[in-house]
């Protein structure tokens, strides 16, 4: 099931390349199938893909007011979550974006109410009006293809042309594709004008906001690294389970000499070492990396000082979604009182409260260990392979995100900082919930 | 001379602890005194008859004779004590050897260490090494050629199986032992109890083909000159398991018990018989009984969880199925060895419903479904810890957490008087999966608090009571 490296297999990068030239609906559809086929997997790629597709929705879709946009995003979100319900970061990003839109809408409404003429020039000062209107023209083309009524099309054009000649200070030119006036809402009458400016402003703010989220995701590794010297002490024996890039960089950052026990994916072929570069950079600082070819790691625990797990998602309650097999390690560590540290960006912090953690184990590809050519196994034995599972919160000591190191009790506060009540309660799962 | 060399074999083997070191140095003395006493006894018994009439040859004998009644008694007592001491030392030697087998240092990874130790011994106790100059050299050379595995320093005290080319083995190693060594080194014969059985059968062959050199007695010559060479070779191929240590100690005791006056034929026959009985009692019948007892714990509607494959557990499950119990089996496997798949096939062929999980992902979910957990112990330590396939501890811990009954099956021959506080006290490094960058332990020690019941052929007890079983066994013998 694992896609071959390189070649024609779709990846996140390839998906992002196609985003530009494709109509929105096609992009969503393609992402949904990529998620379903687990061709985009892992929390960071999923988070980035979600952010990108939501950005496209905000950019390309038509809506006249905030509620339409929210509804539209919620609709897309449900489809994404249905495609990969166990990847909680998708829901996280969606909720972040929803919250962002709500914030911006609130801000805009306040501004519109108080003093529009002052705020808008400030907002529009940065982008050069010419290029903006050119891009708006370009933007209009695909929209026209999507079956806009001719009249509307003409109107849009006119509006753009008007913008071109008009004083840039008075009309906000960015993204002024005129997607705002929906049919039947009193097409671009002067009455609708303040509202449409509203949407335009909102759009640009939301786009900025989403881009900030994407930057945040990309910067997690770097920011988390800063805490490595606090955690890693010279001579430590550190056990990591299938470390993601974040954890790898966290470990390499500290120049202290330590021994890293690496619990690798047992199904991986011994010849190919996904951690080769990690091993190399650790060796550069004099640290030793040892692959541990055991699944039960209790035997090593008497030696290990710290266990570092990479989170797929962190719940507000403190339990952590991890790769299959890491839960046992956390339990073993706890049994002997070893420190268990979970590392993951804040975007992995999930406000989700609908998941039953006891049953939320994701079962996946059974051919990981049992060959399909083995008839007796395939025919008679039920084979189960867990892809991800939860680590109960009581097994974890510390959580490290790009915002710092947190205790379990502090997570709720961070959740509340990042998500709005209304979005936390929004049922992403819709009908797919069992 | 033969007495002199009684202690030699243990001497040649580098020892990790102090105790065995002392034992062999004492042995020759004690054995010698024993010999002397025996000789003097013979002389005396001969002399006793004429004691009253004839003059004593030596002043010593004269002294003996003067106090006939009480003296005789004292003499007998002393002799008995000496014999007991000898038995004890021989026991200790065996113990020492067993300790050497699976304990730190001796089979440690660093070739230089082994070598230097061997050399040191050569120099120190020339007498011991003189008899077999070839032996200490053979294993190190094998080490040098084969061992490129870099073991992390923190595990350097653990031992590892090595493939020693047959050509490098001592010339006196019996062919059947030679083959067994290879099978052990390649893990073809893997489980503790099968290794034990194979070893005993091979030793039986060795005894059968043994011919006492002229001027020697079997009881004195066999252990140091034949048996120890076999043991050393086997240990070099793969560290001995605890049951082998126990059995070898037993065998040496049997050899030493043989009557000096018995004919060679008679002695060999007795020994072979003893081995047959040992195998029957401690392995065959024990297995059957444990299988039955274990199966009794499986009830209708149970979901039995087991980890990887073990013959004893497999037998118990099959037995329970054959008695008509309806239950299903959940196999959690070690993804690196995948013996569980073999078990899954065996069980499904018999019509048992099997669920298989290739690794520890979702172990909690599986455990929640399970009602009972079965393991088989590779060995039991006297602090109640169970030595078993690496990963057992994790499964047992999860079971304990969820309140499931954990049943460990174990023959009493696997119980050792040693204590392991963690998994790194005694362990073995897997030579096949360890390399410059990778490392694998073969066993782990499961604390007694995770084990609900220990089923042995002497009854089902708490794991902590393992040493009581040992004491019980000693009473039997």
């Amino acid at each position: 099931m694992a896609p071959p490296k390189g070649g024609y297999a779709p990846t996140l990068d390839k998906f992002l390349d196609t985003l530009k030239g494709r109509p929105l609906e096609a992009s969503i559809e393609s992402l949904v199938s990529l998620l379903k086929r687990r061709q985009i997997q892992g929390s960071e790629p999923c988070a980035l893909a979600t952010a990108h597709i939501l950005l496209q929705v905000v950019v390309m879709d038509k809506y006249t007011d905030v509620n339409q946009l929210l509804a539209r995003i919620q609709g897309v979100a449900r489809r994404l979550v249905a495609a990969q319900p166990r990847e909680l970061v998708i829901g996280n990003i969606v909720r972040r974006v929803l919250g962002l839109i709500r914030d911006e809408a609130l801000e805009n409404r306040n501004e519109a109410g108080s003093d529009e003429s002052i705020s808008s020039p400030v907002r529009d000062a940065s982008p050069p009006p010419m290029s903006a209107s050119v891009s708006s023209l370009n933007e209009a083309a695909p929209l026209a293809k999507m079956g806009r009524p001719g009249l509307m099309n003409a109107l849009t054009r006119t509006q753009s042309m008007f913008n071109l000649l008009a004083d840039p200070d008075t009309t906000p030119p960015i993204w002024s594709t005129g997607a705002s006036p929906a049919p039947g809402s009193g097409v671009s009458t002067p009455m609708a004008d303040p509202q449409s400016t509203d949407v335009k402003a909102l759009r640009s703010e939301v786009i900025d906001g989403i881009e900030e989220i994407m930057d945040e995701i990309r910067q997690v590794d770097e920011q988390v690294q800063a805490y490595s010297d606090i955690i890693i002490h010279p001579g430590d024996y550190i056990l990591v389970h299938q470390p993601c890039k974040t954890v790898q960089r966290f470990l390499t950052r500290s120049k202290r000499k330590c021994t890293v026990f690496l619990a690798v994916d047992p199904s991986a072929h011994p010849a190919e070492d996904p951690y080769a570069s990690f091993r190399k950079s650790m060796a550069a600082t004099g640290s030793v990396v040892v692959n541990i070819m055991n699944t039960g790691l209790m035997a090593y625990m008497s030696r290990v000082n710290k266990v570092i797990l990479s989170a797929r998602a962190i719940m507000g309650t403190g339990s952590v979604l991890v790769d299959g097999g890491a839960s046992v390690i956390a339990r073993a560590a706890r049994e002997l009182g070893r420190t268990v540290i979970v590392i993951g960006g804040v975007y992995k912090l999930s406000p989700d409260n609908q998941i039953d953690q006891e049953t939320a184990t994701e079962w996946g590809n059974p051919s990981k260990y049992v060959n399909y050519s083995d008839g007796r196994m395939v025919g008679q034995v039920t084979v189960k392979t867990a892809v991800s599972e939860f680590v109960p919160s009581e097994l974890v000591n510390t959580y490290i995100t790009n915002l710092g190191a947190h205790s379990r009790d502090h997570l709720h506060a961070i959740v509340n900082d990042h998500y709005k009540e209304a979005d936390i309660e929004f049922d992403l799962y819709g009908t797919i919930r069992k | 001379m033969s007495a002199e060399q009684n202690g030699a074999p243990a001497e040649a083997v580098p020892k990790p602890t102090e105790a065995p070191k002392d034992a062999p140095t004492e042995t020759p003395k004690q054995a010698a005194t024993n010999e002397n006493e025996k000789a003097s006894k013979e002389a005396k018994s001969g002399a006793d008859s004429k004691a009253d009439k004839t003059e004593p040859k030596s002043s010593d004998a004269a002294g003996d004779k003067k106090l006939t009644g009480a003296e005789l008694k004292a003499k007998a007592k002393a002799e008995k004590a000496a014999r007991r001491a000898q038995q004890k030392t021989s026991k200790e030697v065996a113990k020492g050897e067993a300790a050497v087998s699976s304990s730190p240092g001796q089979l440690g990874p660093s070739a230089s260490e082994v070598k230097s130790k061997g050399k040191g011994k050569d120099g120190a106790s020339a007498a011991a090494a003189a008899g077999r100059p070839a032996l200490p050299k053979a294993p190190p050379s094998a080490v040098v050629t084969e061992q490129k595995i870099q073991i992390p320093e923190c595990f350097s005290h653990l031992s590892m199986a090595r493939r020693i080319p047959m050509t490098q083995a001592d010339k006196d190693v019996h062919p059947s032992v030679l083959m067994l060594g290879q099978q052990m080194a390649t893990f073809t014969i893997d489980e503790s109890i099968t290794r034990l059985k194979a070893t005993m059968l091979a030793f039986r062959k060795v005894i059968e083909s043994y011919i006492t050199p002229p001027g020697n007695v079997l009881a004195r010559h066999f252990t140091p000159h034949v048996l120890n060479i076999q043991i050393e070779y086997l240990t070099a191929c793969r560290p001995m398991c605890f049951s082998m240590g126990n059995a070898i100690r037993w065998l040496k005791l049997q050899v030493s018990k043989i009557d000096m006056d018995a004919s060679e034929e008679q002695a060999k026959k007795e020994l072979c018989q003893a081995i047959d009985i040992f195998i029957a009692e401690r392995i065959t019948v024990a297995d059957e009984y444990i299988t039955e007892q274990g199966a009794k714990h499986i009830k209708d509607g149970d979901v039995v969880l087991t980890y990887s494959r073990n013959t004893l557990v497999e037998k118990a499950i099959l037995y329970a199925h054959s008695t008509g119990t309806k239950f299903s089996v959940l196999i959690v496997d070690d993804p690196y060895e995948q013996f569980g798949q073999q078990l899954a096939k065996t069980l499904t062929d018999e019509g048992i419903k099997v669920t298989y999980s290739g690794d520890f992902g979702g172990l909690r979910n599986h455990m929640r479904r399970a009602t009972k957990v079965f393991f088989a112990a590779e060995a039991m330590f006297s602090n109640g810890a169970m030595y078993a396939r690496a990963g057992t501890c994790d499964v047992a811990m999860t079971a304990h957490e969820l309140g499931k009954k954990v049943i460990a099956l174990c023959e009493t021959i696997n119980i050792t008087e040693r204590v392991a506080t963690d998994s790194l006290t005694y362990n073995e490094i897997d030579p096949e999966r360890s390399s410059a960058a990778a490392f694998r332990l073969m066993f782990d020690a499961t604390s007694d608090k995770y084990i609900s019941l220990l089923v042995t052929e002497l009854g089902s007890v708490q794991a902590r009571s393992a040493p009581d079983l040992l004491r019980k066994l000693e009473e039997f013998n």
Side-chain angles (χ1 to χ4, degrees), chain A residues 23-36:
Chain A
L24 178 61
E25 196 51 37
S27 295
I28 296 173
E29 204 50 56
S30 116
L31 179 59
V32 164
S33 43
L34 284 174
L35 286 175
K36 267 188 193 166

Side-chain angles (χ1 to χ4, degrees), chain B residues 77-90:
Chain B
K77 211 178 236 174
E79 199 207 323
K80 206 173 171 188
R83 199 188 292 148
R84 200 175 287 153
Q86 194 208 359
Q87 275 177 12
K88 206 173 160 195
T89 44
S90 78

Side-chain angles (χ1 to χ4, degrees), chain B residues 94-107:
Chain B
K95 216 183 268 181
E97 235 138 65
V100 154
S101 71
S102 41
S103 76
Q106 200 255 327
L107 293 174

Side-chain angles (χ1 to χ4, degrees), chain B residues 76-376:
Chain B
K77 211 178 236 174
E79 199 207 323
K80 206 173 171 188
R83 199 188 292 148
R84 200 175 287 153
Q86 194 208 359
Q87 275 177 12
K88 206 173 160 195
T89 44
S90 78
K91 214 177 203 176
E92 253 161 47
V93 168
K95 216 183 268 181
E97 235 138 65
V100 154
S101 71
S102 41
S103 76
Q106 200 255 327
L107 293 174
S110 59
S112 61
E113 193 190 327
V114 174
K115 227 179 197 169
S116 69
K117 261 193 172 176
K119 265 184 194 161
K121 284 286 169 199
D122 279 3
S125 53
R132 304 178 304 291
L135 234 168
K137 274 170 201 159
S141 62
V143 170
V144 171
T145 50
E146 207 188 319
Q147 231 66 13
K148 288 199 186 86
I149 301 172
Q150 218 182 0
I151 301 299
E153 205 194 330
C154 54
F155 300 121
S156 56
H157 64 292
L158 299 174
S159 48
M160 180 159 61
R162 290 183 304 241
R163 284 189 203 180
I164 297 170
M166 286 209 208
T167 47
Q168 287 181 14
D170 190 279
K171 65 177 167 45
D172 289 334
V173 174
H174 191 273
S176 60
V177 175
L178 207 59
M179 201 168 71
L180 179 63
Q182 296 301 312
Q183 283 169 321
M184 282 193 192
T186 53
F187 298 94
T188 319
I189 296 181
D190 190 15
E191 270 170 30
S192 159
I193 206 75
T194 34
R195 283 175 71 192
L196 169 67
K197 195 170 173 181
T199 309
M200 293 317 274
L201 288 173
F203 284 171
R204 196 176 179 277
K205 285 237 169 70
V206 174
I207 291 169
E208 277 170 0
S209 57
Y210 171 77
I211 297 164
T212 319
N216 282 302
V217 195
L218 186 141
R220 293 264 178 272
H221 181 267
F222 179 71
T223 303
H225 291 273
V226 180
L227 191 57
N228 283 332
I229 296 169
Q230 321 294 329
I231 295 167
E232 269 168 48
Y233 171 74
L234 283 183
T235 311
C237 286
R238 187 177 166 190
M240 270 200 274
C241 55
F242 295 97
S243 60
M244 280 166 69
N246 288 340
I248 286 170
R249 199 182 315 158
W250 170 85
L251 183 62
K252 285 187 175 172
L253 183 67
Q254 301 309 309
V255 174
S256 71
K257 267 194 204 162
I258 285 177
D259 191 357
M260 283 295 169
D261 301 330
S263 72
E264 188 187 308
E265 275 310 307
Q266 181 64 25
K268 280 161 72 174
K269 204 177 145 196
E270 266 175 35
L271 276 180
C272 288
Q273 249 171 10
I275 289 179
D276 287 342
I277 293 171
F278 181 89
I279 292 176
E281 268 182 8
R282 307 294 298 274
I283 302 174
T284 316
V285 177
D287 271 4
E288 270 172 37
Y289 184 76
I290 294 169
T291 304
E292 271 175 46
Q293 290 304 308
K296 273 187 191 164
H297 289 283
I298 303 177
K299 302 274 189 298
D300 276 330
D302 265 349
V303 179
V304 174
L305 188 144
T306 184
Y307 172 57
S308 196
R309 180 192 169 277
N310 184 288
T311 316
L312 210 47
V313 174
E314 182 181 289
K315 274 189 195 165
I317 291 173
L318 288 175
Y319 185 84
H321 180 69
S322 71
T323 57
T325 316
K326 301 265 176 296
F327 61 96
S328 63
V329 176
L330 228 160
I331 300 170
V332 178
D333 208 356
D334 181 340
Y336 294 99
E337 293 194 317
Q338 307 199 336
F339 290 134
Q341 296 197 12
Q342 210 179 314
L343 176 64
K345 285 174 198 168
T346 317
L347 297 186
T348 47
D349 285 350
E350 295 298 320
I352 301 172
K353 196 166 164 269
V354 174
T355 306
Y356 174 87
S357 170
D359 61 11
F360 283 176
L363 180 63
R364 243 177 110 79
N365 299 62
H366 295 305
M367 195 57 82
R368 213 169 285 118
R369 268 189 58 209
T371 54
K372 275 172 196 133
V373 182
F374 274 78
F375 296 121

Side-chain angles (χ1 to χ4, degrees), chain A residues 220 239 396 412:
Chain A
V220 161
L239 176 66
V396 183
H412 267 298

Side-chain angles (χ1 to χ4, degrees), chain A residues 237 259 261 263-267 273 279 288-303 324-329 331-333 335-336 357-361 363 368-371 374 376-377 380-390 392 394-395, chain B residues 152-155 157 307 333-336 338 340-342 344-346 348-349 352-366 368-369 390-391 393-395 397-398 400-402 422-424 427 433-434 436-445 449-450:
Chain A
Y237 289 91
T259 307
F261 295 145
V264 291
D265 183 3
S267 64
D273 187 3
R279 191 182 298 281
V288 185
V289 180
V290 184
N291 280 14
I292 299 295
M293 312 295 272
N294 284 99
T295 37
L297 292 162
M298 191 65 174
Y300 300 87
M301 276 310 161
S302 55
R303 184 67 63 174
S327 182
V328 182
I329 296 175
R331 181 158 292 109
E335 198 67 24
L336 290 185
Q357 294 169 13
E358 292 290 319
T359 56
T361 306
W363 303 103
K368 196 172 175 187
Y369 301 116
V370 179
N371 203 323
D374 192 343
R376 282 162 80 197
M377 285 297 283
Q380 293 166 308
V381 180
T382 315
V383 180
K384 291 187 109 178
T385 307
V387 177
S388 67
E389 59 186 339
F390 270 99
E394 65 267 19
L395 302 184
Chain B
E153 205 194 330
C154 54
F155 300 121
H157 64 292
Y307 172 57
D333 208 356
D334 181 340
Y336 294 99
Q338 307 199 336
Q341 296 197 12
Q342 210 179 314
K345 285 174 198 168
T346 317
T348 47
D349 285 350
I352 301 172
K353 196 166 164 269
V354 174
T355 306
Y356 174 87
S357 170
D359 61 11
F360 283 176
L363 180 63
R364 243 177 110 79
N365 299 62
H366 295 305
R368 213 169 285 118
R369 268 189 58 209
C393 186
D394 297 77
V395 181
M397 186 176 58
T398 312
H400 176 75
E401 199 199 341
L402 293 173
D422 63 17
S423 303
L424 298 176
N427 216 319
R433 287 179 188 82
S434 299
F439 184 78
R440 179 181 161 83
L441 287 175
M442 297 190 64
F443 300 102
D444 64 11
K449 67 180 170 189
Y450 304 135

